[in-house]
Amino acid sequence: MNLDAKIPSGPVAEAWDKHRFDLKLVNPANKRKFKVLVVGSGLAGGSAAATMAELGYDVDCFCFQDSPRRAHSIAAQGGINAAKNYQNDGDSVYRLFYDTVKGGDFRSREANVYRLAQVSANIIDQCVAQGVPFAREYGGQLANRSFGGAQVSRTFYARGATGQQLLLGCYAALSRQIEMGAVKMHTRTEMLDIVVADGITRGIITRNLTTGKIERWAGDAVVLATGGYVNVFYLSTNAMGCNVTAAWRAHKRGAGFANPCFTQIHPTCIPVSGDHQSKLTLMSESLRNDGRVWVPAKPGDQRPPSQIPDNERDYYLERKYPSFGNLSPRDIASRAAKEACDDGKGVGPGNRGVYLDFRDSIQRLGAEVVKQRYGNLFDMYQRITDENPYELPMRIYPAPHYTIGGLWVDYNLHSNQPGLHVIGEANFSDHGANRLGASALMQGLADGYFVLPYTIGNFFATHKPEPITTDHPAFREAESEINARLQRFMTIGGSRSPESFHRELGRIMWEKCGMARNRAGLEEALQKIPELREEFWNNVKVIGTERSLNMTLEQAGRVADFLEFGETMCRDALLREESCGGHFREEYQTEDGEAVRNDDDFAHAAVWEWKGPNEEPVRHQEEMTFENVKLATRSYK
Amino acid sequence: MNLTLKVWRQDGPNDAGRLETYDAPDVSPDMSFLEMLDVVNERLINEGRTPIEFDHDCREGICGMCSLVINGVPHGPQRATTTCQLHMRSFKDGDTIAIEPWRAKAFPVVKDLVVDRSSFDRIIQAGGYASVNTGGAPDANAMLIGKEDADTAFDAAACIGCGACVAACPNASAMLFVAAKVAHYAHLPQGQPERDRRTVKMVNSMDAEGFGNCRNYYECEAACPKEIPVKFIGNMNRDFIKAVAAGNEG
Ligand SMILES: Cc1cc2nc3c(=O)[nH]c(=O)nc-3n(C[C@H](O)[C@H](O)[C@H](O)COP(=O)(O)OP(=O)(O)OC[C@H]3O[C@@H](n4cnc5c(N)ncnc54)[C@H](O)[C@@H]3O)c2cc1C
Ligand code: FES
């Protein structure tokens, strides 16, 4: 497996400029001859499709929702980082770079992260020009706030709906290109495979989710912008449709899957309320700016929160991490919540919750100010729990939220599978082992607006793809494999719904490969998952037909892929014998429960190669070197 | 609690469709409305019957995908709440609940409770944007925008494009949807250069898609999960008349 990251030589601060100069260009008049298939219309896919169309490429864009505006990016709440230093509090490109490398627990590529920090400022300029209504001060300037894991105020936001406003900006740009005929948009269309002809990615196979029609699409490059796979846990903060299908099928056709075990568990979500639960709702971590996290100091204390005096409360984040306190990074805050509950101090149903209390801020700032800052989040909380957070502290618990691992890409966002580019949450590139808050939106838009549109030109200029049509045998074979698989779902005639398998897989993943992992648990999962998969393929029940809208069938396909992917994820977690970022191996911790990283053996990305259905996948490594930010133990004390 | 559901079932766009009755026993008040339907579907699958198709994705009230008319009201009884955020504690034991799709000529039924809202996308494509390409944008703070204007622009931009406004309107008018997008840009300097053109093109596109006329019933505002105010419709009408009078017909 070729894992040459193509990082430009020389000082990190000059790498992107130098690289852009070295990239080969495509003559503007020739651009329309290149067809790009963009799968996904979230922040990454939408921005890439619009920008490449503006440049003149011939773009087709696909999404499974009924409109590109509904991609899961829409749900991001808290904000987007940019090194603007508008607050004059000492921020800079270098500081954002430094914070992100350190926050990622030294498992990301310095050059990628530096570039991300550099283009962050352009993103805000671009979005404002599009008319994104960011929060502003009375004087008319843009407002900022600080966000989990950062000590400067560099986060731009639009109330609690930053993702929505950024995505609508991007959707507007995309709509303009659709109107101009430069992008052809295919909604309610699910990509089920990539097509590799003579070693090069030349197209995709899709299913029209309304009619069931299977279609072939040929192009000169394929871009996956299909988001994250955290629904492998079944319960997560992701939308119901988020899946690993596109990435997994590409993996099975040759694309390396990097660090699948790096997942992010978000510390502030509404706890599970019962067995019916279908998804978990995030409460933006911006709440941690004004809310204080605590549990009763005494295990098993059942008194209502208002009757627990301050000296019998344990504000454990403030106690353990005095300099970051309630703003400690996500992995640390999540694990601390789990620990508190494991110690019997949890609150609410099943004692799996901790308090996030606004009492002191309401006293200090007044309810009106708190309402202005967080009103919509408080409303959402009340709607779901039927409790009023102005009067009672919120109950929160960590939940799977984001996937840091993803398909391997080089500095050009090109995977090891020629012709396949991967952007946004679907790739592994910039966040190491832990993502800092407000940096996923930044990365998705950096990839789509400011990186891929340049680097893809270099791909075309240096590869000169041969013309191809969908009659090529590779298309025929891929299509017939898809048809056979759909047929199989329809004819198993078992007794369990795809949903029930998904829930069961999710439980295994959460218990054995969730916030804390250990060898015995992972080995158990590696035994259970293939058994469950076996049962799935003999006992799943899909009703209806494959030739019409059939959401149970869609779900069956996604669950089948999760059942394969989950195994690779556990394998990755098993072989990474260290604790770093979101990956906490119980065997590797200090006496007071802090993570112990192993830089000598694991300062690398683990990249998995698929070897076939009954073969063990092979683990490759891309070493990570740190020339600018010195490898050090993270401390937030 | 135990409930009875009357659910619209329709095999495809050309099927006449009908209401069918289902039991929903043992519903917990903490379930969301869609989780209640999940449980019903799980049982239908176990019994070998075709599950009820309905649109949903984020289940947190922001993607605009969910779309049910519940007891005659788009998104059901709770104000400012999407179907996915509605919880069963809004109902009581023994209730019968009617569940139907959005109904509008411009939103044809695809299957069961799923409708085709691509007409909304085409309205946005007609002009719901500021025509700026990527790159070359000035520094974001170069242009000051007063907090009130920015806040109003946000209030309008909060629209999730679900279509409840259309489903609620006796005439199936899309005026609130279009007016919200027009108002978003009208309150920002970035929206000014194309203001007339945008308004006229979007309104024309709305008419061409077969949405009805606005007769000031204001049902749209009441149904809007984001509480977008109808005052934006008045503003848009004024903008439209001004634009046409100035000869800027899109
Ligand atoms: C609740 C929540 C809050 C968040 N808040 C923040 C925040 O405040 N700040 C921050 O920086 N980040 C935040 N994040 C993370 C961030 O929102 C995501 O990482 C980011 O938006 C992902 O963008 P994307 O474009 O990569 O993927 P998505 O937006 O998930 O888009 C995926 C696209 O791919 C399409 N797709 C997927 N599979 C297929 C297929 N097989 N065939 C066809 N199409 C397919 C989908 O239709 C969709 O269009 C949050 C995430 C969640 C869940
Ligand atoms: S499912 Fe997204 S708004 Fe209801």
Side-chain angles (χ1 to χ4, degrees):
Chain A
M1 185 171 268
N2 175 7
L3 297 180
D4 174 7
K6 306 220 171 67
I7 298 169
S9 57
V12 72
E14 288 154 33
W16 179 229
D17 269 354
K18 173 173 177 300
H19 191 68
R20 274 193 297 177
F21 180 72
D22 291 340
L23 289 175
K24 302 264 177 307
L25 300 175
V26 178
N27 178 327
N30 282 338
K31 285 192 176 132
R32 71 186 156 75
K33 296 185 191 148
F34 292 102
K35 171 159 299 276
V36 191
L37 306 175
V38 179
V39 188
S41 64
L43 286 176
S47 58
T51 304
M52 289 190 293
E54 288 163 12
L55 289 173
Y57 294 110
D58 178 13
V59 179
D60 278 56
C61 183
F62 303 81
C63 72
F64 67 76
Q65 292 92 348
D66 72 338
S67 163
R69 69 180 291 155
R70 307 203 202 281
H72 187 56
S73 294
I74 199 96
Q77 300 170 353
I80 176 167
N81 286 332
K84 280 285 199 186
N85 194 30
Y86 281 163
Q87 304 308 319
N88 198 29
D89 56 1
D91 201 9
S92 62
V93 167
Y94 200 88
R95 186 179 293 280
L96 176 54
F97 158 67
Y98 178 92
D99 286 354
T100 308
V101 171
K102 177 185 169 204
D105 218 356
F106 300 93
R107 292 295 174 263
S108 52
R109 262 187 221 136
E110 281 194 337
N112 281 58
V113 177
Y114 198 90
R115 174 177 67 190
L116 179 65
Q118 274 176 310
V119 302
S120 67
N122 304 82
I123 295 172
I124 301 304
D125 298 343
Q126 182 62 31
C127 295
V128 166
Q130 289 171 344
V132 170
F134 284 119
R136 288 183 181 263
E137 307 292 356
Y138 281 102
Q141 294 192 320
L142 288 156
N144 289 118
R145 59 184 170 204
S146 62
F147 213 70
Q151 286 174 313
V152 289
S153 279
R154 62 160 76 100
T155 303
F156 294 77
Y157 62 100
R159 278 183 221 165
T162 313
Q164 181 201 23
Q165 294 309 319
L166 294 175
L167 185 63
L168 292 180
C170 168
Y171 163 72
L174 181 63
S175 297
R176 175 167 163 253
Q177 296 304 314
I178 296 171
E179 157 89 336
M180 291 175 10
V183 175
K184 283 183 239 28
M185 185 71 218
H186 310 276
T187 60
R188 289 203 200 266
T189 304
E190 183 169 26
M191 179 205 120
L192 293 180
D193 212 345
I194 63 167
V195 178
V196 177
D198 308 319
I200 307 206
T201 316
R202 294 310 303 271
I204 60 172
I205 307 287
T206 61
R207 179 168 179 270
N208 178 318
L209 300 180
T210 310
T211 62
K213 189 168 172 216
I214 304 295
E215 286 172 288
R216 309 170 182 182
W217 308 87
D220 300 301
V222 173
V223 178
L224 294 191
T226 46
Y229 52 80
V230 85
N231 275 353
V232 69
F233 292 108
Y234 183 73
L235 285 182
S236 83
T237 64
N238 275 201
M240 302 301 285
C242 293
N243 65 84
V244 76
T245 290
W248 189 247
R249 305 289 171 91
H251 174 60
K252 289 172 79 171
R253 296 262 177 213
F257 212 116
N259 298 332
C261 81
F262 287 167
T263 50
Q264 179 158 77
I265 312 296
H266 196 289
T268 55
C269 304
I270 301 180
V272 174
S273 76
D275 292 338
H276 54 263
Q277 194 100 25
S278 62
K279 78 153 283 174
L280 296 170
T281 302
L282 176 79
M283 290 281 102
S284 166
E285 83 184 316
S286 60
L287 292 168
R288 289 201 274 147
N289 282 329
D290 289 308
R292 297 177 68 194
V293 176
W294 65 275
V295 289
K298 207 166 69 229
D301 189 339
Q302 297 294 333
R303 285 174 293 173
S306 59
Q307 287 173 23
I308 303 181
D310 257 7
N311 61 1
E312 293 178 44
R313 298 176 172 196
D314 181 7
Y315 291 91
Y316 58 86
L317 286 177
E318 297 170 21
R319 173 172 59 80
K320 289 165 84 163
Y321 308 103
S323 71
F324 278 69
N326 293 298
L327 293 177
S328 302
R330 292 177 175 178
D331 51 341
I332 290 179
S334 291
R335 222 157 35 239
K338 176 176 187 295
E339 236 166 66
C341 295
D342 288 348
D343 291 346
K345 299 174 184 170
V347 298
N351 299 323
R352 286 275 143 197
V354 300
Y355 290 125
L356 178 61
D357 199 338
F358 291 86
R359 182 196 63 185
D360 298 350
S361 320
I362 291 174
Q363 269 168 16
R364 183 167 41 96
L365 305 164
E368 200 37 51
V369 173
V370 170
K371 184 173 176 186
Q372 273 216 351
R373 288 189 190 164
Y374 310 110
N376 64 334
L377 296 168
F378 278 39
D379 291 349
M380 180 145 97
Y381 181 84
Q382 185 159 16
R383 237 178 260 132
I384 294 173
T385 61
D386 210 17
E387 288 175 3
N388 179 354
Y390 293 97
E391 286 161 10
L392 277 176
M394 286 183 176
R395 287 175 296 107
I396 54 162
Y397 196 67
H401 173 59
Y402 177 87
T403 51
I404 310 163
L407 293 179
W408 184 88
V409 288
D410 65 15
Y411 188 70
N412 294 317
L413 306 179
H414 184 242
S415 76
N416 62 303
Q417 167 54 45
L420 182 73
H421 294 77
V422 190
I423 59 177
E425 192 174 339
N427 74 22
F428 90 113
S429 66
D430 298 356
H431 308 295
N434 171 57
R435 176 174 70 77
L436 292 180
S439 60
L441 301 178
M442 170 172 76
Q443 180 227 328
L445 290 178
D447 289 1
Y449 282 135
F450 295 111
V451 180
L452 183 71
Y454 297 110
T455 58
I456 205 162
N458 184 64
F459 172 75
F460 291 135
T462 52
H463 282 74
K464 301 265 185 301
E466 297 288 316
I468 194 167
T469 71
T470 54
D471 297 329
H472 189 284
F475 280 90
R476 216 173 321 125
E477 278 158 34
E479 181 180 333
S480 62
E481 280 173 36
I482 293 297
N483 278 322
R485 184 177 150 109
L486 291 169
Q487 272 306 317
R488 198 161 156 211
F489 286 132
M490 300 313 304
T491 51
I492 292 170
S495 64
R496 281 182 66 181
S497 67
E499 169 101 1
S500 74
F501 284 100
H502 196 174
R503 279 182 193 269
E504 190 171 339
L505 173 69
R507 264 193 305 272
I508 299 173
M509 297 303 294
W510 182 233
E511 276 162 24
K512 309 295 178 199
C513 198
M515 250 186 297
R517 303 147 177 198
N518 60 52
R519 170 172 291 279
L522 290 165
E523 283 173 346
E524 194 184 326
L526 284 169
Q527 195 188 332
K528 281 187 172 164
I529 297 168
E531 287 167 12
L532 185 64
R533 192 166 61 229
E534 172 85 11
E535 191 197 339
F536 174 88
W537 282 106
N538 288 300
N539 196 24
V540 75
K541 184 167 181 172
V542 180
I543 311 257
T545 118
E546 75 280 20
R547 283 183 301 278
S548 80
L549 181 84
N550 188 340
M551 294 189 196
T552 319
L553 177 62
E554 293 165 30
Q555 199 182 9
R558 293 172 192 161
V559 175
D561 292 331
F562 277 132
L563 281 164
E564 291 178 355
F565 168 75
E567 195 178 336
T568 300
M569 187 169 147
C570 290
R571 211 179 285 274
D572 189 44
L574 180 65
L575 294 193
R576 186 169 282 278
E577 294 177 323
E578 64 165 347
S579 292
C580 77
H583 171 68
F584 188 76
R585 277 285 296 268
E586 286 167 347
E587 299 93 321
Y588 308 101
Q589 56 179 313
T590 62
E591 259 168 28
D592 53 354
E594 300 297 332
V596 175
R597 228 174 51 214
N598 176 352
D599 293 330
D600 291 339
D601 300 317
F602 289 97
H604 59 245
V607 188
W608 292 87
E609 180 182 2
W610 173 259
K611 284 291 186 188
N614 301 310
E615 307 289 324
E616 283 215 2
V618 174
R619 186 180 189 274
H620 302 269
Q621 297 178 9
E622 182 204 333
E623 297 307 320
M624 297 290 151
T625 49
F626 297 89
E627 287 164 4
N628 298 279
V629 186
K630 248 186 54 213
L631 270 166
T633 301
R634 273 194 316 164
S635 168
Y636 293 92
K637 294 209 165 178
Chain B
M1 55 189 154
N2 297 313
L3 304 167
T4 305
L5 309 182
K6 303 244 181 235
V7 183
W8 186 259
R9 302 302 304 262
Q10 183 174 335
D11 290 344
N14 302 318
D15 180 31
R18 70 238 151 247
L19 279 173
E20 288 185 7
T21 306
Y22 302 90
D23 291 333
D26 290 333
V27 172
S28 143
D30 288 330
M31 282 180 180
S32 72
F33 198 84
L34 297 183
E35 285 167 349
M36 183 274 294
L37 284 180
D38 289 343
V39 174
V40 171
N41 271 347
E42 183 75 18
R43 211 187 58 232
L44 290 177
I45 294 175
N46 286 336
E47 292 168 0
R49 297 158 74 192
T50 319
I52 303 159
E53 303 285 9
F54 57 90
D55 264 331
H56 64 99
D57 199 24
C58 75
R59 297 203 176 188
E60 50 186 74
I62 192 74
C63 75
M65 193 92 181
C66 62
S67 53
L68 303 179
V69 176
I70 300 166
N71 287 337
V73 182
H75 290 309
Q78 195 174 347
R79 231 190 131 75
T81 304
T82 53
T83 297
C84 60
Q85 294 259 285
L86 181 65
H87 281 69
M88 296 314 291
R89 60 183 83 92
S90 295
F91 301 89
K92 52 183 199 310
D93 188 39
D95 276 359
T96 296
I97 306 175
I99 308 173
E100 291 173 90
W102 281 181
R103 298 216 185 265
K105 190 171 121 210
F107 289 164
V109 172
V110 177
K111 190 175 179 184
D112 294 345
L113 302 166
V114 174
V115 300
D116 177 354
R117 286 171 287 195
S118 53
S119 46
F120 266 16
D121 283 333
R122 288 187 294 273
I123 294 175
I124 299 292
Q125 287 157 21
Y129 41 75
S131 297
V132 292
N133 282 356
T134 304
D139 183 84
N141 259 347
M143 197 186 287
L144 300 180
I145 302 175
K147 187 172 176 349
E148 285 85 2
D149 271 336
D151 284 350
T152 311
F154 181 95
D155 290 341
C159 168
I160 58 173
C162 63
C165 47
V166 175
C169 176
N171 283 352
S173 165
M175 282 294 261
L176 191 61
F177 169 76
V178 179
K181 190 44 55 187
V182 165
H184 162 202
Y185 289 107
H187 282 88
L188 295 174
Q190 292 85 345
Q192 299 314 315
E194 296 168 284
R195 184 167 176 168
D196 286 3
R197 213 173 108 86
R198 173 182 308 113
T199 309
V200 174
K201 286 182 83 172
M202 288 181 73
V203 168
N204 288 346
S205 165
M206 170 183 79
D207 291 343
E209 291 291 344
F211 289 100
N213 291 327
C214 172
R215 295 259 184 273
N216 303 329
Y217 292 111
Y218 298 159
E219 297 286 348
C220 50
E221 181 181 283
C224 176
K226 296 292 150 184
E227 302 188 289
I228 305 225
V230 288
K231 69 166 190 224
F232 291 140
I233 296 182
N235 298 350
M236 179 172 79
N237 283 334
R238 273 196 297 284
D239 271 14
F240 183 80
I241 292 166
K242 252 196 353 233
V244 173
N248 291 324
E249 307 217 5

